[in-house]
C-alpha cells in the first residue's frame, strides 16, 4: 500500500481534537542474549498527535533511542528485534509492513533527524543533492522543479543564500547550518511524523536555541507530529507539549509538559528533575583574602604558522587571558565550542605550550619552563578530563593509575597504594576496587577515580575540563557534589571549564565568559547571572534552554 | 589547485633524494671492491681498472655522489658495462611490454576487485563474503610464478588456447596482443586483486557504519543505491591509496612474470643485468621504477582532491 | 544509537589459544603451521635422506614407495628436500618478521613521539617504500653474495617501513588519549609513558603485522631463488627447488609441484592465521585492511 495512506492535510481545528499520527502500543524489543537485560524496551506505549511535540526523556540506556529507531524501521536487525506490540502509524501497523513498504514511507510520510549533524550528512555530496535525493526517491519531478523545491525548503529552514549554498559540501557549513540541511531533508516532502533524536545535543547553546525554534515553527506551520528524543529537561521545557519519561526500557510516567515538569509523580522523575542544576546561583561568600594559587597574565596560544609552502594561516585559540584563582575558590570559564576555554586549561597544565604570557603557581612562573624544570611543579596542578571512558588506561588496574603520580615523586609503592585505597573511600568507592580494571566501572565511577588520581598528587590547583559534561544528569549532580566537597576539604583552587550555564551557576564562585579566544566578561557568579553586561553574555544566557522553569537546585551552598 | 600540485611535487624531492642515496650506497656499502665484484671471477686487473674508472670509483665518495646526482638530473642514468649503450636507451627499448603488462593488470584487477570487495562488504558475514575473502587470501599466498606455470600448463599445454610465452605489441593486432598478454596479466593480477578486494571490503564495511548511511536509509533510499551512491564513493580514498601503494609490489611481480613468460621487458632487462652484474643497469632500473612509483603516487594525491572535497589544497 | 553502553567485559584477559576460539579457518591455519613447524624440527626423523647428497643413478624417478615424492634431476629425494625446505622458509620468514618488528618498533616509536625527528624519519621510510622491495633485495644479494643471512637482511629492509608506519600511527593516536595526557600531568617521564601507556597498544597490531611480514618474506625468498639471486643453490629451499626444476617441468612436474604446494600452503596458513588474529586482536585494523 505504498503511498496509498489516507492523505489528510494538517489539522487546523482546535488543539484538543488532534488526529493521532503515531500510536505505539505495548512495544517490546528484545536484546541479544548476553546483554545486561532482556529487553531494550519493554511494553512501551505512547501516542503522537498531528501538530504535537512529544518528548521522550531519559538517561543513557533508557531505551529512548531504540524506541525511535524501531518506529523508523532502522534497527540493526541482527541485534535488536521487536517481539511484541504494535506501531500504528496513520492507522496501519508498521511492524507488519515489508522492508520495501517501510522504505517507501521513510522520507515521505515519516522522517528523522539525528544527533550529529557533523556525521549525518554525506561528506562527498553537495547539500543540494542530499535534499534533492529525497525528491528523487519519492517523486518524479524534473530537474527544474526539483531544484525549485530544494531552494524553497532551504529558504524555509532559514539558510542564508540558498542558491549559493546549493553546491556547498557539508564541511563548508557550520554545525547549525548542517542541522538545518538535515531538517530540510526531513521536511521537504511534508511528512506526517518527524522523529528527532537528540537533534541539538551536539550543538552550542545559541545554535541549539535557534534550531529548537525552527523545529517548533516548521512543525506548527505544517501540522507535523514530532517525536523528540532528549536527555535535557531544559529542552523539554522549551518545546514539549507532552512528555514521556523512560527508565531502563520502560515508561515510568507520561503527561503534559507542565504536569511532568511542575508536579512529577514518579520518584524517578522527581529525582531527575531535582538533579537539574538551577540557573540561579546560590549566595557565596567572596574569598578576597585567601592566597592566590594560580594566576595567568596575558596568556595566549596561537596555532599554525611555519612551513615554507603553506599559507600563513594562524589561529588564535586564546589571547590575553588574565585569571586569578585563590585557594578554596572555584573559578568557572564558560563558553561555547571554539571559545578557547579548554586551550586555557591545557596551557595551565602545560599539556600544550602557551605562545604568550605568564602562568604563576604561587610565585613560580611556569609558562616557559623546560620539561625537566617543570617536573617539580607538575604535582601542583592536576586535571580531570571530559571523557571518562578514555581517561584511564584500560590495560592497567585503577591502583596503577592512581599511584603512578606519587611514585614519580619518590613515594614508595606500599605508601602510594595505602593512599590510593584511602582516596577511593574519599571519592565514594570501595577501597578494594583499586584492583579492578576501568571497564568494570560506570562513567560516573570512572570520573570519581580520575578525581582520586588527581588528589593523590596533593595538588593546590584542580582543573576540571568539562569533567561532568559526558555524564547523565543524576550522576552529574553527584560528581559535582564530590568536586565541591574535595575543594572544601583540601582548600583547593578549582578552575572549572564548562559549556553548561546551569552547572556553572551552581559550582562557581566567580565566572569568566570566553568568546572566540577572548575573555568578554568576568565577575562573581551571582553578579554575572543577574546582570550580564556584554551582548554576547546576554545572548548566551537568553539561549539557555528551560529558562522559564525553576528546577530543583541540587546544591544548597554554604 | 596548481599551488597544491606544485607543493606536492616539491615534497617528493626529499623522497627522491633518499631513493637516490640508498641506490647509490648499495654499491658502495657492499663488502669487497665493487669493481671486482662487477667484473666477475675471470676479469684481468685491466678490466677491473677500466670498470672502476667507468663508474667513477676512483674518486672520493662524496664527489661521486654529487656528480652522479648531477647526471641524474640531466636524465643520464649511466652506461651499460656490457652493451656500452646508455641505460636510458635500453629502458626505452624495453619499456612497452612492461608498461602494457602493468596497465592491463591494474585495469583488469581494479575492474574485478572493487565490485568483488564491495559486494563482500555489503553481504558481510554471508557465504559470498567468505568466498571472496578466501579467494583473496589465496591470491596473497600463491607465488606468481607457481600460478603462472599452472596457467601455462592448463591453458597453453593442455587446452592449447593461448600461446605459452612471448609478447606481441598492440601494433601487431589487438587480438594477438590480448592472446599473448592474457596469461601473464592473469597470473600477475591474483595478488593485486586480492589486495584491492580486501581494502575495498574493509573500507566499504567501515563506511556502511557511518551516520550518513543511516541518513540515506532514513530518506527511504534503496539498498543498492546506498551502496553505490553513498558507500563506494566515500570508500574510494583508501582504495585508491592501496592501488597506488600496490604498484611497488606489482613491479616486483612484473620482473618474475616476464621471466616466466619470456617477455622482453624491463623485468628481463634487470634479471639479465643481475646475471651479468651490469651494475649501471640495475641501479638505473631501480631508480626508474622508484621514481615511477613516486610520480604515480603524486598523481594519486591529486586524484584525492577530486574524490573528496574535504581534502583541501 | 546515542545511548552509551557500558563496555564491561570488552577486554578479557585470556590465554593465546582462546584467541582463535570461534574462528574455524584460523584454527585450521594454526594447525597447518604446527605441522610445518614440527616437520622442520623433526626433519631427520621423517623418513628423509640427506637432502643435498647427489645420486645420479636415481635421476628423475617418479613418486613411488621408495621415493614418496620422486627424485629430481640430480637424483635427490624430493620428499627429503621438501621437508628440509621448511627449515629454510621458516627461518627466513620468522627472522624477517622478528627483525622488521624490532627495528620498525624502535624507529616507529621515535618517529611518533619525537616530533622533530618525525619528518626526517618518515621521508627516509617513504624513500625505502618507493624502491620495489624485490629489486632492492636482488641488488643487495647479488652484490653481497648469496647466503641465508644476506637474504634475510635483504628481505627485512624493505619490510621495515610498513612496520614503522603502523607503529607511528598507533603512537600518534594513543598519545592524544586523555590517559596519556593524565600521565604527562603527573610528571611521568617520557620513557615510562612510552613503555607503560603506548607500547602495549602497539603489540596487538604488531603481532598481526608480523604474520603478514612472515608470509611475505617466504614469498620473496622464493622469488629471489627463482631469479637466481636467493639462497645459495645447494641450500634445499622451496624456491631453489622450483627454480632448478622448472626446466624439467614437462618431464618431471613433481619437482616443481610439491615444493610449490608446500610453499603456497605454508604461506596460506600464515596469512589465514594473521587474518584470524587480526579479527580478534585488532578489530579496528580489521576494518582498515
Amino acid at each position: 500500500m505504498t503511498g496509498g495512506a489516507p492523505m489528510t492535510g494538517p489539522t487546523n481545528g482546535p488543539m484538543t481534537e488532534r488526529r493521532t499520527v503515531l500510536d505505539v502500543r505495548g512495544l517490546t524489543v528484545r536484546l541479544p542474549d548476553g546483554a545486561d537485560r532482556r529487553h531494550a524496551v519493554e511494553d512501551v506505549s505512547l501516542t503522537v498527535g498531528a501538530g504535537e511535540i512529544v518528548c521522550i526523556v531519559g538517561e543513557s540506556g533508557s531505551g529512548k533511542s531504540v524506541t525511535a529507531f524501531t518506529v523508523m524501521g532502522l534497527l540493526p536487525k541482527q541485534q535488536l528485534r521487536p517481539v511484541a506490540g504494535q506501531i500504528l502509524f496513520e492507522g496501519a501497523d508498521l511492524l507488519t509492513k515489508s522492508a520495501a513498504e517501510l522504505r517507501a514511507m521513510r522520507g515521505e510520510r515519516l522522517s528523522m533527524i539525528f544527533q550529529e549533524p557533523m556525521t549525518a550528512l554525506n561528506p562527498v555530496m553537495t547539500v543540494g543533492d542530499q535534499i534533492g535525493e529525497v525528491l528523487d526517491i519519492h517523486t518524479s519531478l524534473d530537474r527544474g522543479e526539483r531544484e525549485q523545491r530544494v531552494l524553497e525548503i532551504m529558504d524555509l529552514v532559514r539558510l542564508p543564500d540558498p542558491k549559493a549554498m546549493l553546491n556547498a559540501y557539508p564541511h563548508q557549513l557550520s554545525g547549525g547550518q548542517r542541522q538545518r540541511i538535515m531538517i530540510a531533508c526531513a521536511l521537504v516532502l511534508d511528512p506526517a511524523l518527524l522523529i528527532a533524536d537528540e537533534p541539538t545535543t551536539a550543538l552550542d547553546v545559541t545554535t541549539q536555541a535557534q534550531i529548537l525554534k525552527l523545529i517548533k515553527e516548521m512543525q506548527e506551520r505544517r501540522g507535523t507530529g514530532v517525536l523528540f528524543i532528549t536527555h535535557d529537561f531544559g529542552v523539554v521545557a522549551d518545546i514539549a507539549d507532552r512528555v514521556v519519561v523512560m527508565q531502563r526500557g520502560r515508561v515510568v510516567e507520561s503527561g503534559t509538559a507542565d504536569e511532568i515538569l511542575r508536579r512529577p509523580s514518579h520518584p524517578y522523575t522527581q529525582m531527575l528533575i531535582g538533579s537539574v542544576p538551577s540557573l540561579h546561583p546560590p549566595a557565596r561568600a567572596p574569598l578576597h583574602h585567601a592566597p592566590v594559587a594560580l594566576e595567568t597574565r596575558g596568556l595566549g596560544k596561537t596555532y599554525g604558522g611555519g612551513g615554507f609552502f603553506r599559507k600563513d594561516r594562524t589561529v588564535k585559540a586564546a589571547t590575553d587571558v588574565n585569571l586569578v584563582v585563590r585557594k578554596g575558590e572555584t573559578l568557572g570559564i564558560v563558553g561555547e565550542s571554539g571559545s578557547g576555554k579548554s586551550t586555557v586549561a591545557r596551557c595551565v597544565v602545560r599539556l600544550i605550550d602557551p605562545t604568550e604570557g605568564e602562568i604563576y603557581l604561587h610565585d613560580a612562573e611556569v609558562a616557559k619552563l623546560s620539561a625537566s624544570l617543570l617536573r617539580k611543579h607538575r604535582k601542583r596542578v592536576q586535571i580531570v578530563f571530559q571523557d571518562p571512558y578514555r581517561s584511564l588506561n584500560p590495560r592497567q588496574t585503577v591502583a596503577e593509575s592512581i599511584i603512578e603520580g606519587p611514585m614519580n615523586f619518590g613515594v614508595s609503592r606500599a605508601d602510594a597504594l595505602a593512599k590510593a585505597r584511602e582516596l577511593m573511600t574519599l571519592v565514594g568507592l570501595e577501597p578494594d576496587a583499586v584492583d579492578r580494571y576501568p571497564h568494570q566501572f560506570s562513567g560516573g565511577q570512572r570520573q570519581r577515580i580520575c578525581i582520586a588520581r588527581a588528589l593523590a598528587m596533593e595538588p593546590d590547583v584542580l582543573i576540571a575540563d568539562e569533567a561532568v559534561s559526558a555524564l547523565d544528569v543524576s550522576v552529574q549532580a553527584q560528581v559535582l557534589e564530590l568536586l565541591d566537597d574535595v575543594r572544601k576539604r583540601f582548600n583547593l583552587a578549582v578552575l572549572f571549564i564548562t559549556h553548561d550555564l546551569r552547572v556553572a551557576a551552581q559550582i562557581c564562585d566567580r565566572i569568566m565568559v570566553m568568546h572566540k579566544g577572548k575573555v568578554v566578561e568576568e565577575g562573581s557568579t551571582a553578579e554575572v547571572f543577574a546582570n550580564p553586561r556584554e551582548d554576547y553574555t546576554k545572548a548566551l544566557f537568553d539561549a539557555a534552554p528551560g529558562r522559564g522553569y525553576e528546577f530543583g537546585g541540587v546544591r544548597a551552598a554554604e | 589547485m596548481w599551488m597544491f600540485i606544485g607543493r606536492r611535487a616539491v615534497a617528493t624531492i626529499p623522497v627522491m633524494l633518499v631513493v637516490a642515496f640508498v641506490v647509490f650506497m648499495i654499491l658502495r656499502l657492499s663488502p669487497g671492491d665493487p669493481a671486482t665484484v662487477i667484473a666477475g671471477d675471470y676479469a684481468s686487473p685491466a678490466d677491473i681498472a677500466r670498470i672502476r674508472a667507468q663508474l667513477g670509483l676512483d674518486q672520493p665518495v662524496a664527489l661521486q655522489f654529487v656528480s652522479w646526482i648531477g647526471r641524474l638530473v640531466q636524465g643520464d642514468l649511466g652506461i651499460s658495462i656490457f652493451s656500452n649503450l646508455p641505460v636510458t636507451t635500453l629502458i626505452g627499448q624495453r619499456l612497452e611490454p612492461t608498461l602494457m603488462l602493468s596497465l592491463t593488470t591494474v585495469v583488469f584487477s581494479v575492474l574485478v576487485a572493487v565490485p568483488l570487495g564491495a559486494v563482500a562488504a555489503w553481504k558481510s558475514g554471508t557465504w559470498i563474503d567468505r568466498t571472496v575473502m578466501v579467494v583473496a587470501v589465496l591470491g596473497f599466498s600463491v607465488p606468481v610464478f607457481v600460478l603462472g606455470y599452472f596457467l601455462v600448463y592448463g591453458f597453453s599445454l593442455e587446452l592449447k588456447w593461448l600461446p605459452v610465452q612471448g609478447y606481441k605489441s598492440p601494433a601487431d593486432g589487438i587480438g594477438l596482443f590480448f592472446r599473448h598478454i592474457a596469461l601473464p596479466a592473469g597470473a600477475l593480477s591474483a595478488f593485486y586483486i586480492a589486495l584491492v578486494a580486501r581494502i575495498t571490503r574493509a573500507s566499504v564495511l567501515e563506511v556502511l557504519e557511518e551516520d550518513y548511511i543511516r541518513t540515506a536509509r532514513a530518506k527511504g533510499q534503496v539498498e543498492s543505491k546506498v551502496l553505490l551512491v553513498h558507500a563506494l564513493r566515500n570508500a574510494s580514498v583508501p582504495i585508491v591509496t592501496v592501488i597506488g601503494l600496490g604498484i611497488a609490489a606489482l613491479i616486483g611481480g612484473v620482473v618474475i612474470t616476464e621471466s616466466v613468460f619470456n617477455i622482453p621487458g624491463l623485468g628481463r632487462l634487470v634479471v639479465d643485468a643481475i646475471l651479468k652484474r651490469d651494475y649501471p643497469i640495475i641501479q638505473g632500473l631501480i631508480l626508474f621504477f622508484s621514481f615511477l612509483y613516486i610520480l604515480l603516487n603524486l598523481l594519486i594525491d591529486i586524484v584525492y582532491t577530486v574524490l573528496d572535497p574535504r581534502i583541501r589544497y | 544509537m546515542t545511548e552509551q553502553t557500558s563496555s564491561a567485559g570488552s577486554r578479557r584477559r585470556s590465554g593465546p589459544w582462546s584467541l582463535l576460539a570461534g574462528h574455524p579457518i584460523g584454527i585450521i591455519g594454526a594447525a597447518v603451521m604446527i605441522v610445518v613447524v614440527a616437520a622442520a624440527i623433526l626433519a631427520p626423523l621423517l623418513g628423509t635422506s640427506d637432502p643435498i647428497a647427489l645420486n645420479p643413478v636415481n635421476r628423475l624417478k617418479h613418486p613411488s614407495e621408495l621415493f614418496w615424492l620422486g627424485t629430481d634431476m640430480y637424483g635427490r629425494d624430493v620428499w627429503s628436500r621438501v621437508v628440509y625446505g621448511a627449515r629454510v622458509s621458516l627461518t627466513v620468514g620468522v627472522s624477517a618478521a622478528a627483525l622488521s618488528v624490532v627495528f620498525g618498533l624502535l624507529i616507529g616509536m621515535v618517529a611518533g613521539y619525537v616530533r622533530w625527528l618525525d619528518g626526517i624519519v618518515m621521508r627516509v621510510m617513504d624513500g625505502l617504500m618507493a624502491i620495489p622491495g624485490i629489486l632492492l633485495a636482488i641488488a643487495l644479494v647479488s652484490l653481497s653474495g648469496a647466503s641465508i643471512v644476506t637474504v634475510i637482511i635483504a628481505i627485512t629492509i624493505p619490510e621495515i617501513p610498513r612496520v614503522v608506519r603502523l607503529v607511528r600511527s598507533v603512537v600518534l593516536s594513543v598519545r592524544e588519549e586523555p590517559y596519556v595526557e593524565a600521565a604527562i600531568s603527573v610528571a611521568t617521564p617520557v620513557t615510562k609513558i612510552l613503555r607503560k601507556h603506548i607500547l602495549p597498544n602497539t603489540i596487538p597490531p604488531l603481532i598481526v603485522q608480523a604474520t603478514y611480514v612472515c608470509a611475505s618474506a617466504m614469498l620473496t625468498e622464493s622469488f629471489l631463488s627463482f631469479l637466481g639471486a636467493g639462497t645459495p643453490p645447494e641450500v634445499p629451499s622451496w624456491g631453489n627447488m622450483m627454480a632448478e626444476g622448472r626446466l624439467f617441468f614437462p618431464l618431471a612436474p613433481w619437482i616443481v609441484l610439491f615444493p610449490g604446494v608446500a610453499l603456497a600452503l605454508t604461506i596460506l596458513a600464515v596469512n589465514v592465521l594473521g587474518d584470524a588474529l587480526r579479527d580478534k586482536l585488532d578489530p579496528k585494523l580489521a576494518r582498515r585492511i
Side-chain angles (χ1 to χ4, degrees):
Chain A
M1 56 155 285
T2 16
M7 293 294 289
T8 37
T11 38
N12 298 319
M15 295 295 267
T16 46
E17 292 169 39
R18 283 199 180 106
R19 184 176 53 87
T20 301
V21 178
L22 179 71
D23 186 358
V24 178
R25 294 180 186 172
L27 179 68
T28 301
V29 177
R30 185 91 158 78
L31 277 171
D33 296 324
D36 62 333
R37 59 181 200 240
R38 226 176 121 73
H39 299 290
V41 302
E42 201 173 348
D43 195 22
V44 165
S45 299
L46 57 90
T47 61
V48 181
E52 182 186 44
I53 299 183
V54 176
C55 277
I56 306 185
V57 59
E59 299 187 294
S60 343
S62 63
K64 55 191 193 298
S65 282
V66 171
T67 308
F69 280 88
T70 313
V71 174
M72 279 302 278
L74 288 176
L75 283 182
K77 292 260 157 29
Q78 298 87 352
Q79 290 139 40
L80 296 164
R81 208 159 29 90
V83 288
Q86 290 176 304
I87 300 175
L88 299 173
F89 175 70
E90 297 183 318
D93 187 359
L94 293 180
L95 288 179
T96 63
K97 294 213 178 284
S98 72
E101 285 171 328
L102 268 178
R103 194 159 54 224
M105 296 171 79
R106 279 202 295 266
E108 184 171 20
R109 300 303 299 147
L110 64 163
S111 59
M112 185 158 182
I113 55 179
F114 303 96
Q115 174 168 359
E116 283 288 343
M118 301 295 166
T119 56
L121 291 170
N122 185 339
V124 302
M125 204 177 191
T126 64
V127 296
D129 279 343
Q130 299 197 47
I131 303 172
E133 189 184 10
V134 183
L135 299 171
D136 295 340
I137 297 167
H138 299 285
T139 68
S140 46
L141 299 176
D142 66 35
R143 281 179 66 92
E145 292 170 323
R146 176 181 181 268
E147 188 177 316
Q148 197 51 45
R149 283 289 287 277
V150 172
L151 287 173
E152 266 171 36
I153 192 78
M154 286 175 81
D155 194 48
L156 274 173
V157 298
R158 306 270 161 74
L159 282 162
D161 198 2
K163 266 222 155 66
M165 200 173 270
L166 209 54
N167 294 316
Y169 288 96
H171 72 274
Q172 295 164 319
L173 309 184
S174 70
Q177 286 172 335
R178 288 186 226 191
Q179 201 58 297
R180 284 171 200 269
I181 297 285
M182 275 304 296
I183 294 171
C185 286
L187 295 184
V188 66
L189 285 175
D190 234 335
L193 178 68
L194 172 70
I195 298 175
D197 183 21
E198 304 257 11
T200 59
T201 305
L203 302 174
D204 275 328
V205 58
T206 46
T207 317
Q208 164 171 283
Q210 293 160 10
I211 295 291
L212 289 178
K213 196 171 147 219
L214 175 71
I215 291 174
K216 195 153 187 149
E217 192 184 291
M218 296 291 285
Q219 163 279 327
E220 273 168 7
R221 186 183 311 183
R222 300 174 163 229
T224 319
V226 176
L227 186 62
F228 195 106
I229 317 296
T230 184
H231 68 282
D232 185 337
F233 273 96
V235 170
V236 173
D238 279 1
I239 72 162
D241 295 318
R242 285 193 301 115
V243 182
V244 175
V245 184
M246 285 185 72
Q247 182 199 15
R248 287 187 61 78
R250 290 177 164 276
V251 172
V252 296
E253 185 169 3
S254 61
T256 66
D258 228 41
E259 281 164 13
I260 300 284
L261 292 172
R262 296 194 195 280
R263 295 175 299 280
S265 60
H266 193 279
Y268 178 71
T269 318
Q270 289 167 351
M271 186 277 290
L272 276 186
I273 291 174
S275 301
V276 178
S278 161
L279 265 176
H280 297 288
R284 280 172 175 265
L287 289 143
H288 294 310
H289 305 295
V292 172
L294 167 71
E295 181 173 2
T296 70
R297 289 185 201 151
L299 187 70
K301 174 70 183 173
T302 307
Y303 285 103
F308 288 117
F309 301 102
R310 229 146 270 161
K311 279 172 226 156
D312 286 23
R313 199 186 295 156
T314 57
V315 180
K316 291 197 167 185
T319 29
D320 195 26
V321 175
N322 300 296
L323 60 81
V324 173
V325 195
R326 292 171 190 279
K327 280 186 100 60
E329 177 190 51
T330 302
L331 171 68
I333 303 185
V334 180
E336 297 183 299
S337 54
S339 62
K341 57 189 191 302
S342 277
T343 304
V344 172
R346 296 165 64 81
C347 279
V348 170
V349 195
R350 283 291 306 271
L351 288 172
I352 51 178
D353 297 332
T355 42
E356 293 122 45
E358 290 123 53
I359 301 168
Y360 293 92
L361 296 174
H362 294 292
D363 297 324
E365 203 284 315
V366 299
K368 297 277 187 321
L369 286 187
S370 68
S372 51
L373 290 175
L374 186 65
R375 216 179 119 74
K376 68 173 195 250
H377 299 287
R378 284 270 189 216
K379 62 183 305 188
R380 293 186 172 181
V381 188
Q382 287 299 302
I383 184 164
V384 177
F385 295 101
Q386 172 170 7
D387 188 343
Y389 291 90
R390 291 166 55 196
S391 298
L392 294 165
N393 187 340
R395 291 168 201 271
Q396 59 184 24
T397 61
V398 162
E400 293 297 325
S401 288
I402 298 178
I403 67 175
E404 181 172 8
M407 284 179 65
N408 287 337
F409 287 91
V411 178
S412 77
R413 191 179 171 85
D415 290 352
L417 270 174
K419 183 74 184 290
R421 298 173 65 89
E422 209 176 286
L423 285 167
M424 287 291 273
T425 317
L426 186 100
V427 298
L429 295 169
E430 285 292 317
D432 288 338
V434 287
D435 294 325
R436 295 200 206 137
Y437 286 87
H439 69 78
Q440 293 167 295
F441 295 91
S442 70
Q445 288 171 330
R446 289 187 209 196
Q447 230 36 348
R448 287 172 188 270
I449 295 166
C450 290
I451 293 171
R453 170 174 63 191
L455 294 177
M457 299 293 281
E458 297 173 358
D460 303 327
V461 180
L462 182 65
I463 298 180
D465 187 2
E466 299 275 13
V468 298
S469 303
L471 304 175
D472 276 327
V473 63
S474 55
V475 182
Q476 182 181 64
Q478 295 159 10
V479 175
L480 278 176
E481 211 164 344
L482 173 65
L483 273 172
D484 213 44
D485 183 54
V486 300
R487 173 188 59 83
K488 276 181 275 185
R489 186 190 294 251
F490 297 105
N491 200 26
L492 288 175
V494 177
L495 184 60
F496 194 93
I497 315 293
T498 185
H499 71 283
D500 188 331
L501 293 171
R502 292 179 177 276
V503 168
Q506 292 310 308
I507 195 157
C508 302
D509 295 298
R510 289 184 299 118
I511 65 167
M512 284 173 44
V513 180
M514 284 189 75
H515 181 48
K516 293 183 176 165
K518 294 200 176 90
V519 177
V520 293
E521 180 154 2
E522 65 174 306
S524 80
T525 310
E527 202 178 291
V528 175
F529 272 77
N531 284 310
R533 293 188 309 273
E534 298 296 319
D535 289 345
Y536 175 74
T537 317
K538 286 177 191 159
L540 196 63
F541 286 7
D542 278 345
R547 287 168 315 288
Y549 283 88
E550 179 54 36
F551 297 104
V554 252
R555 227 185 59 87
E558 297 92 323
Chain B
M1 183 71 190
W2 289 108
M3 268 297 286
F4 170 79
I5 295 175
R7 212 163 55 222
R8 296 295 319 180
V10 170
T12 63
I13 290 175
V15 180
M16 290 196 180
L17 271 176
V18 170
V19 171
F21 183 72
V22 171
V23 171
F24 177 82
M25 287 316 283
I26 292 172
L27 183 61
R28 272 76 189 172
L29 283 181
S30 38
D33 174 20
T36 317
V37 174
I38 290 165
D41 299 336
Y42 306 108
S44 66
D47 287 341
I48 295 174
R50 180 180 60 83
I51 289 168
R52 186 174 290 137
Q54 195 176 341
L55 295 177
L57 291 174
D58 42 5
Q59 291 165 333
V61 174
L63 194 69
Q64 286 178 39
F65 185 64
V66 171
S67 67
W68 184 64
I69 292 286
R71 274 176 280 143
L72 278 187
V73 171
Q74 295 163 21
D76 177 3
L77 290 178
I79 291 171
S80 157
I81 294 172
F82 286 86
S83 65
N84 260 323
L85 287 170
V87 173
T88 43
T89 312
L90 289 169
I91 290 178
Q93 288 169 354
R94 303 286 198 102
L95 187 58
E96 188 204 293
T98 301
L99 209 61
M100 296 316 289
L101 174 61
S102 312
L103 217 64
T104 316
T105 303
V106 172
V107 171
F108 174 69
S109 302
V110 170
L111 287 181
V112 173
V114 171
L116 222 53
V119 168
W122 192 31
K123 300 279 176 198
S124 86
T126 65
W127 65 268
I128 299 177
D129 178 27
R130 279 191 213 108
T131 312
V132 170
M133 290 316 285
V134 167
V135 170
V137 179
L138 270 174
F140 264 148
S141 307
V142 181
V144 55
F145 56 88
V146 173
L147 186 59
Y149 279 132
F150 274 108
L151 290 178
V152 168
Y153 191 78
F155 288 95
S156 309
L157 299 178
E158 289 292 318
L159 295 169
K160 302 200 188 308
W161 287 353
L162 294 167
V164 174
Q165 57 178 36
Y167 172 78
K168 288 282 182 256
S169 164
D172 300 336
I174 205 79
L176 206 57
F177 164 74
F178 274 117
R179 279 171 51 81
H180 280 85
I181 208 86
L183 290 187
L188 193 50
S189 293
F191 172 85
Y192 218 66
I193 289 175
L195 187 72
V196 177
R198 279 165 73 103
I199 189 72
T200 304
R201 173 181 181 272
S203 44
V204 169
L205 256 183
E206 185 168 346
V207 168
L208 284 176
E209 300 265 301
E210 294 283 348
D211 286 354
Y212 51 80
I213 296 296
R214 187 182 59 187
T215 306
R217 290 186 176 136
K219 288 174 180 173
Q221 187 59 279
V222 293
E223 281 300 305
S224 59
K225 284 202 173 169
V226 169
L227 185 71
L228 288 174
V229 177
H230 294 278
L232 213 48
R233 172 84 192 276
N234 276 288
S236 61
V237 166
I239 297 174
V240 170
T241 306
V242 162
I243 291 175
L245 294 177
I247 286 168
L250 180 76
I251 290 167
V254 165
V255 176
I256 314 279
T257 312
E258 288 186 0
S259 277
V260 173
F261 291 93
N262 206 10
I263 295 172
L266 296 176
R268 284 294 302 283
L269 184 63
V270 84
V271 172
D272 293 345
I274 290 164
L275 295 177
K276 293 186 201 154
R277 297 189 166 143
D278 195 337
Y279 204 76
I281 298 186
I282 304 179
Q283 214 173 29
L285 273 173
I286 294 181
L287 275 177
F288 175 77
F289 280 131
S290 307
F291 287 179
L292 197 69
Y293 170 89
I294 293 170
L295 289 179
L296 281 171
N297 279 285
L298 172 66
L299 195 72
I300 281 168
D301 272 0
I302 296 162
V303 171
Y304 286 162
T305 62
V306 181
L307 290 176
D308 189 340
R310 282 168 300 178
I311 296 173
R312 265 177 295 172
Y313 43 81
Chain C
M1 308 298 106
T2 54
E3 269 124 291
Q4 287 172 329
T5 47
S6 139
S7 63
S10 65
R11 186 179 300 283
R12 293 196 188 91
R13 317 246 131 197
S14 48
W17 293 110
S18 62
L19 276 177
L20 295 174
H23 212 300
I25 300 180
I27 292 172
I28 296 173
V32 172
M33 277 318 291
I34 290 171
V35 171
V36 175
V37 171
I41 294 171
L42 304 175
L45 306 176
L46 295 173
T48 54
S49 52
D50 186 343
I52 305 171
L54 307 184
N55 190 356
V57 183
N58 289 329
R59 295 181 70 229
L60 301 174
K61 293 275 191 247
H62 280 266
S64 64
E65 263 181 47
L66 194 57
F67 304 107
W68 295 347
L69 304 182
T71 63
D72 67 6
M73 52 282 168
Y74 301 117
R76 296 172 296 195
D77 178 32
V78 173
W79 163 250
S80 306
R81 287 174 69 74
V82 167
V83 171
Y84 276 95
R87 288 187 170 183
V88 180
S89 280
L90 286 178
T91 308
V92 171
V94 171
S95 316
L99 287 175
S100 60
V101 163
V102 168
F103 284 102
L105 183 61
L106 285 175
I107 302 172
M109 290 276 247
V110 170
Y113 213 86
V114 186
R115 288 217 164 139
W116 62 271
L117 265 174
D118 187 34
I120 303 167
V121 172
M122 290 323 286
R123 290 300 78 70
V124 172
M125 292 302 136
D126 285 349
L128 278 180
M129 276 185 96
I131 304 174
I134 290 177
L135 291 187
L136 185 60
I138 291 173
L140 285 172
V141 173
S142 67
L143 272 162
S144 325
S147 76
I148 284 209
V149 175
T150 344
V151 168
I152 289 171
I153 294 172
I155 290 175
T156 303
I157 291 174
E159 295 286 352
I160 289 176
R162 276 197 282 171
V163 182
V164 171
R165 283 168 73 119
L166 174 73
V167 172
R168 174 179 174 268
S169 75
V170 173
V171 174
L172 284 183
S173 68
V174 175
R175 63 178 286 164
E176 302 288 317
E177 287 291 314
Y179 66 80
V180 173
E181 299 197 320
I184 295 172
S185 68
V186 297
T188 306
V190 172
T191 49
K192 201 171 161 196
I193 288 180
L194 284 171
R195 190 165 36 97
K196 268 182 71 181
H197 298 291
I198 295 184
L199 182 69
N201 288 292
T202 65
I203 302 296
L206 273 181
I207 291 174
V208 176
Q209 187 70 20
T211 63
Y212 293 154
V213 172
C214 178
S216 140
M218 292 195 276
L219 205 58
T220 310
E221 189 274 331
S222 75
F223 287 167
L224 292 180
S225 300
F226 181 80
L227 292 175
T231 47
E234 67 274 12
V235 174
S237 88
W238 292 335
N240 277 339
M241 295 169 73
M242 283 184 277
E244 291 170 2
R246 61 198 257 228
L247 295 174
F248 296 86
F249 183 65
L251 201 63
W254 57 86
I255 307 178
V256 174
L257 199 67
F258 290 119
V261 169
L263 177 64
L265 213 61
T266 307
I267 296 175
L268 187 66
V270 177
N271 272 329
V272 158
L273 192 62
D275 282 358
L277 289 173
R278 177 201 57 189
D279 291 348
K280 287 280 175 179
L281 286 175
D282 194 11
K284 257 202 218 135
L285 185 80
R287 294 273 179 69
R288 260 183 270 137
I289 275 215

